[in-house]
Amino acid sequence: MPEDPDFRSLFDATLSPLLVLTPDFTIVEVNRAYLTATRTERSIVGRPIFDVFPDNPEDPSADGVANLRRSLETVVASRRTDTMALQRYDIPTGEEGTFAERYWSPVNTPVLDADGQLTYIIHRVEDVTEFVHLRKVGREQQRAVADAQMRAEGMEIDLFVRAREIREVNEQLSRANAELDAAGRRLREEQRAKDRFIATLSHELRNPLAAATAATELLALDMPRGHPALAVLERQLGTLTRMSNDLLDGTRAVTGRLELVRDPVDLRSVVDGACADIRGLFGHEGRTLGVVLPDRPVIVDGDRLRLAQVLTNLLSNALKYTRPGGHTEVGLSAEDGRARLTVRDDGIGFEPAQAEELFGVFMRAAPAGPDTPEGLGLGLAVARTVVELHEGRISAHSDGPGKGASFTVLLPTTDATGPRQPRPSAVRPAASRLAILIVEDNADLAETYRTLLERQGHRVTAVHTGHDALAATEREPFDVVLCDLGLPDIDGYAVARAVRARPDGDRPRLIAVSGFSQGTDRALSRAAGFDAHLAKPLPLTDLLELLERLGEG
């Protein structure tokens, strides 16, 4: 049997200069060819390679150390062979501070153990200095040309290997890009599916909310002296409505689809209206709400409803996190071309470093738990989006837990005159008796609307499908048609177009009533022939005001 080969002797006898490095680039073995090529001795073993072979300090353009380090680090990171380009790397001559010019063709190869872990790096070099010199001076001697040709062929082999490695890397990049594209498509599809789900959920919540709201208003008419349960119903229905709106608006805020209808607006009226709407909620458990308004108008170019939504969200936030007996203060001022709206409370506060996080989607000032206030954590995110759409800024501040919080909104003011906004009117009997058709597939909501409107003296008919609506308008004339857009057979748009196409189709006033009430939804209803577009849940006061205007017209 032949004896096992002496691998150390074979390594030492290899004609190619070889150096063995640890992953931290310390020399652990070297063969004779390498020592001869670099004019060094075995005493270099055990030393870091860059201590043994530093850059030539006399050559300001020397980059041998940087290039070799980059290649070795690539091998450590990728566990793959790295073939370097032809490289100038001068070597010490042995005399103090002197270097000999050398050119090399290096290849760095990883050595992996059974577990795939990097154990060593084999650094192989070929001294191509003579070839470079011959190419520079253009020697024509046959031997030099032949030698150069041999070395060139060797370099061509190195280039071939390098090209193959580059091709493999490009193929890997192509596969990675394809996977990223597929992941991006899946993410976009999931985002669209989530948006559709939230929009549909919010819309579907509006029908039962609208029915419950209308039923509560009907009970209020039957109980003119009031009842404690009615106040509870009104508060809880208001909370559910705000949560439904926050759910839909939160999705629009994240996706950048919130829309504004801008006009000159006096912020004083926005503050006055929003505080009036929510003041009753502050009256519970001894909480108080103070408002400080300037004597002069504070005009901004903005969307009145969205700006009121910002303040309502800030006040709702203060209400949630203010303990019984607490106080919230709303202040408005204007200076240097900016309006400053501040909501300050003496509630639970928050860590100062948490201020920016509060405006994130689904973020809360208090951790989830049995005492955590209700809400989805969307109000402040929606408020920030609305403020930024108005070219403004919103910020939060607290001195720490238990020390209250303040939220500040800054908006650019304008010199334009704000339009006078009509004040909400109380429910009162109708000035004229109207023939009204209700088209609503939710039977509870349709019946409650009919009862409410009949109490106001109107003649009301209710149907539940689009085809029944078309048949009813064929049988008898109506002054007003309140039509839901989402019907079980044909949608409300088709109903409106069919009615308008008739010879007397311009007589009835068509009012769209829907859970979808964005600018695009309103544009579609106008194009179909509707005269107005109301959002569910529909307050009785708003509906009666509209009917009163239609009756006067």
Side-chain angles (χ1 to χ4, degrees), residues 77-131:
S78 67
R79 296 180 174 82
R80 295 175 60 88
T81 297
D82 187 74
T83 304
M84 298 177 63
L86 186 145
Q87 178 68 49
R88 177 176 176 177
Y89 202 136
D90 296 346
I91 61 173
T93 63
E95 299 179 11
E96 184 69 25
T98 61
F99 284 74
E101 181 181 305
R102 286 292 185 272
Y103 291 87
W104 310 90
S105 177
V107 177
N108 297 306
T109 304
V111 178
L112 308 178
D113 62 16
D115 296 327
Q117 298 300 312
L118 180 70
T119 56
Y120 299 105
I121 302 171
I122 297 176
H123 174 60
R124 177 177 68 83
V125 294
E126 292 293 343
D127 187 348
V128 294
T129 305
E130 186 177 353
F131 168 76

Side-chain angles (χ1 to χ4, degrees), residues 231-304:
V232 174
L233 285 173
E234 289 172 353
R235 287 197 304 274
Q236 297 306 320
L237 286 171
T239 299
L240 287 173
T241 300
R242 285 196 303 275
M243 291 174 67
S244 176
N245 290 335
D246 282 350
L247 191 62
L248 188 57
D249 286 341
T251 301
R252 290 168 177 157
V254 171
T255 56
R257 294 199 296 268
L258 275 179
E259 300 175 355
L260 299 182
V261 180
R262 300 175 74 149
D263 282 306
V265 176
D266 186 350
L267 278 182
R268 296 182 304 171
S269 64
V270 173
V271 174
D272 191 43
C275 291
D277 291 340
I278 203 171
R279 188 179 296 277
L281 299 178
F282 274 86
H284 296 285
E285 298 181 310
R287 296 180 180 87
T288 56
L289 175 63
V291 181
V292 178
L293 298 178
D295 296 331
R296 303 170 64 86
V298 181
I299 308 299
V300 299
D301 182 27
D303 185 318
R304 172 179 290 274

Side-chain angles (χ1 to χ4, degrees), residues 216-468:
T216 302
E217 292 178 331
L218 181 58
L219 287 174
L221 292 177
D222 288 339
M223 299 179 179
R225 294 183 179 180
H227 190 282
L230 282 176
V232 174
L233 285 173
E234 289 172 353
R235 287 197 304 274
Q236 297 306 320
L237 286 171
T239 299
L240 287 173
T241 300
R242 285 196 303 275
M243 291 174 67
S244 176
N245 290 335
D246 282 350
L247 191 62
L248 188 57
D249 286 341
T251 301
R252 290 168 177 157
V254 171
T255 56
R257 294 199 296 268
L258 275 179
E259 300 175 355
L260 299 182
V261 180
R262 300 175 74 149
D263 282 306
V265 176
D266 186 350
L267 278 182
R268 296 182 304 171
S269 64
V270 173
V271 174
D272 191 43
C275 291
D277 291 340
I278 203 171
R279 188 179 296 277
L281 299 178
F282 274 86
H284 296 285
E285 298 181 310
R287 296 180 180 87
T288 56
L289 175 63
V291 181
V292 178
L293 298 178
D295 296 331
R296 303 170 64 86
V298 181
I299 308 299
V300 299
D301 182 27
D303 185 318
R304 172 179 290 274
L305 293 178
R306 288 297 185 188
L307 292 174
Q309 181 182 22
V310 170
L311 181 54
T312 299
N313 287 358
L314 294 179
L315 289 173
S316 297
N317 188 74
L319 186 63
K320 292 175 188 176
Y321 297 109
T322 301
R323 298 182 179 89
H327 180 71
T328 299
E329 186 83 17
V330 178
L332 177 65
S333 62
E335 59 182 12
D336 300 328
R338 293 192 306 179
R340 178 185 294 270
L341 175 64
T342 303
V343 177
R344 183 177 290 105
D345 63 63
D346 54 8
I348 67 171
F350 53 84
E351 293 289 348
Q354 191 184 4
E356 189 64 21
E357 298 176 3
L358 297 179
F359 295 98
V361 177
F362 302 119
M363 290 299 297
R364 291 169 169 272
D371 298 327
T372 301
E374 62 188 12
L376 299 173
L378 289 168
L380 294 181
V382 173
R384 164 163 283 186
T385 298
V386 172
V387 170
E388 290 179 348
L389 286 174
H390 285 84
E391 294 85 42
R393 292 187 292 112
I394 184 172
S395 58
H397 174 75
S398 175
D399 290 332
K403 298 183 178 180
S406 64
F407 292 82
T408 302
V409 176
L410 298 176
L411 295 169
T413 57
T414 178
D415 295 332
T417 302
R420 182 181 299 275
Q421 298 295 324
R423 295 180 61 83
S425 58
V427 176
R428 58 182 181 275
S432 60
R433 189 169 186 264
L434 299 173
I436 300 174
L437 174 65
I438 296 174
V439 188
E440 172 58 63
D441 62 332
N442 186 304
D444 288 340
L445 181 56
E447 187 60 30
T448 307
Y449 277 165
R450 175 162 62 181
T451 303
L452 283 170
L453 293 173
E454 286 176 344
R455 294 285 184 89
Q456 301 302 310
H458 300 296
R459 181 172 61 84
V460 185
T461 301
V463 297
H464 307 302
T465 68
H467 288 116
D468 288 346

